[in-house]
């Protein structure tokens, strides 16, 4: 019998009861990123086994705590019996030159990719979310059913959710996003991040661009849900949802794009529609 890989130790940092379940915040040493990382799990007041998982990926400048504190998602998660898992958004504490010079690159801005530039080699948030974090959860939370998972996120995290889902439709039952950066190769945020993390070869950038990826993915049959505020100050220059909408139409991928009048880019917007998203995921997480 092959030896089981060593289990990563996790340290409980805090616990808070909420809607009958518990917010549990942990720290562990990430082998993928080469630094300590925090993540938060909301465990609903549900059966002690087979609990499905909804991963939440946060946006620029955020940590694992923004969603847990501000979105009010626990009420619906408790009602549907779904666990929420919120990782941090980048490596921290590595003291790489320039890592904290701007809000949209480096610390707090991992963009959920695997950097190929040697300087940023620790920025491997794609592998962390897709591979390492699920193993940590599997090792320490026997009540979770890691094979019944969906993924969602906001802004940069919406970009992460859409790209990760597009590349791993076998691992996630559904995807949704709030104000996602759907076409980063054509917006300033994405161009800045990708040129630094991935280099100058534009074809490499396309591997982390939801609009490019969805054009090549005819396997998606589950509707993608996106909410976008019409008063979002980043809508025209950074987010470009119509580009993704056109790509989905061309690929025959079902998309529910809801433009929400009067809403901005904040967690006030996310909190307003988060129940809809959890209900959307529940129908796929609870089926077979």
């Amino acid at each position: 019998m092959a030896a089981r890989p060593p289990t990563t130790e996790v340290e409980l940092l805090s616990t808070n009861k909420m809607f009958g379940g518990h917010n549990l915040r942990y720290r562990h040493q990430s082998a993928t990123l080469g630094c300590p990382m925090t993540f938060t799990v909301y465990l609903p007041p549900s059966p002690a086994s087979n609990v499905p998982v909804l991963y939440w990926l946060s946006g620029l400048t955020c940590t694992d705590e923004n969603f847990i504190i501000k979105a009010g998602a626990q009420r619906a998660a408790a009602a549907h019996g779904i666990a929420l898992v919120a990782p941090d958004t980048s490596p921290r504490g590595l003291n790489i030159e320039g890592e904290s010079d701007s809000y949209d690159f480096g610390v707090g801005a991992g963009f959920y990719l695997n950097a190929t530039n040697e300087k940023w080699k620790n920025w491997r948030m794609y592998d962390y979310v897709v591979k390492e974090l699920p193993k940590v959860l599997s090792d320490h939370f026997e009540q979770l059913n890691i094979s019944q998972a969906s993924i969602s996120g906001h802004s940069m995290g919406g970009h992460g959710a859409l790209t990760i889902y597009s590349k791993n439709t076998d691992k996630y039952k559904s995807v949704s996003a709030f104000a996602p950066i759907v076409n980063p190769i054509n917006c300033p945020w994405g161009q800045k991040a990708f040129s630094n993390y991935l280099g100058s070869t534009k074809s490499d950038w396309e591997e982390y661009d939801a609009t490019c990826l969805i054009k090549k993915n005819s396997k998606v049959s589950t509707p993608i849900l996106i909410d976008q505020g019409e008063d979002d100050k980043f809508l025209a220059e950074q987010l470009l949802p119509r580009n993704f909408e056109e790509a989905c139409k061309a690929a025959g991928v079902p998309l529910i794009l809801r433009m929400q009048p009067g809403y901005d880019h904040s967690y006030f917007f996310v909190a307003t529609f988060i129940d809809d998203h959890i209900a959307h995921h529940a129908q796929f997480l609870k089926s077979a």
Side-chain angles (χ1 to χ4, degrees):
M1 181 182 293
R4 180 179 171 82
T7 299
T8 302
E9 293 185 5
V10 297
E11 175 190 0
L12 180 63
L13 301 178
S14 64
T15 177
N16 301 96
K17 190 170 184 178
M18 192 174 187
F19 298 113
H22 289 85
N23 296 312
L24 304 166
R25 190 169 191 238
Y26 292 91
R27 180 191 294 121
H28 74 110
Q29 181 66 31
S30 168
T32 301
L33 306 177
C35 66
M37 289 292 285
T38 56
F39 65 92
T40 300
V41 179
Y42 175 71
L43 291 178
S46 58
S49 63
N50 210 36
V51 180
V53 174
L54 175 60
Y55 293 94
W56 174 270
L57 306 183
S58 291
L60 293 167
T61 75
C62 291
T63 69
D64 57 294
E65 293 190 289
N66 294 71
F67 172 72
I68 295 297
I69 293 171
K70 295 180 177 180
Q74 292 91 337
R75 186 194 301 270
H80 288 285
I82 292 172
L84 305 173
V85 175
D88 202 349
T89 55
S90 78
R92 295 182 191 268
L94 292 168
N95 298 316
I96 307 299
E97 181 187 3
E99 69 175 16
S100 299
D101 287 357
S102 56
Y103 80 95
D104 55 358
F105 179 76
V107 171
F111 273 85
Y112 304 101
L113 49 71
N114 288 337
T116 53
N117 182 338
E118 179 65 19
K119 179 178 179 179
W120 303 103
K121 62 185 178 181
N122 295 82
W123 267 249
R124 299 182 61 82
M125 288 300 295
Y126 177 90
D127 276 356
Y128 178 74
V129 171
V130 175
K131 298 176 182 179
E132 185 174 12
L133 184 56
K135 183 183 183 304
V136 171
L137 295 173
S138 179
D139 285 345
H140 293 280
F141 299 89
E142 60 184 22
Q143 66 269 61
L144 298 182
N145 183 350
I146 304 303
S147 66
Q148 287 291 110
S150 291
I151 192 164
S152 185
H154 173 229
S155 194
M156 177 186 72
H159 141 79
L162 291 168
T163 54
I164 286 172
Y165 176 79
S166 295
K167 294 157 82 79
N168 299 276
T169 53
D170 58 325
K171 287 185 169 67
Y172 304 95
K173 303 299 182 184
S174 52
V175 65
S176 73
F178 290 81
I181 306 168
V182 294
N183 195 195
I185 66 172
N186 287 319
C187 80
W189 279 340
Q191 290 163 352
K192 177 178 180 177
F194 287 9
S195 61
N196 282 284
Y197 290 137
L198 302 172
S200 59
T201 305
K202 298 292 180 68
S203 59
D204 293 340
W205 298 10
E206 293 180 1
E207 288 303 306
Y208 296 103
D209 184 296
T211 298
C212 297
L213 290 170
I214 210 69
K215 290 176 182 176
K216 302 182 288 185
N217 199 336
S218 59
K219 298 177 184 177
V220 178
S221 57
T222 303
I224 297 170
L225 173 61
I226 293 177
D227 273 308
Q228 173 63 62
E230 289 186 354
D231 284 12
D232 189 326
K233 66 181 180 180
F234 303 115
L235 175 56
E237 184 180 25
Q238 302 281 14
L239 305 178
L240 313 176
R242 297 303 182 190
N243 293 6
F244 186 70
E245 183 180 39
E246 291 173 10
C248 285
K249 285 180 180 176
V253 171
L255 171 67
I256 304 166
L257 173 59
R258 308 195 306 187
M259 302 299 296
Q260 304 290 3
Y263 286 92
D264 59 15
H265 197 71
S266 71
Y267 265 92
F268 297 113
F269 159 61
V270 173
T272 302
F273 300 104
I274 190 65
D275 286 13
D276 291 352
H277 284 242
I278 291 175
H280 172 80
H281 292 294
Q283 63 183 314
F284 303 107
L285 287 170
K286 294 303 184 73
S287 63

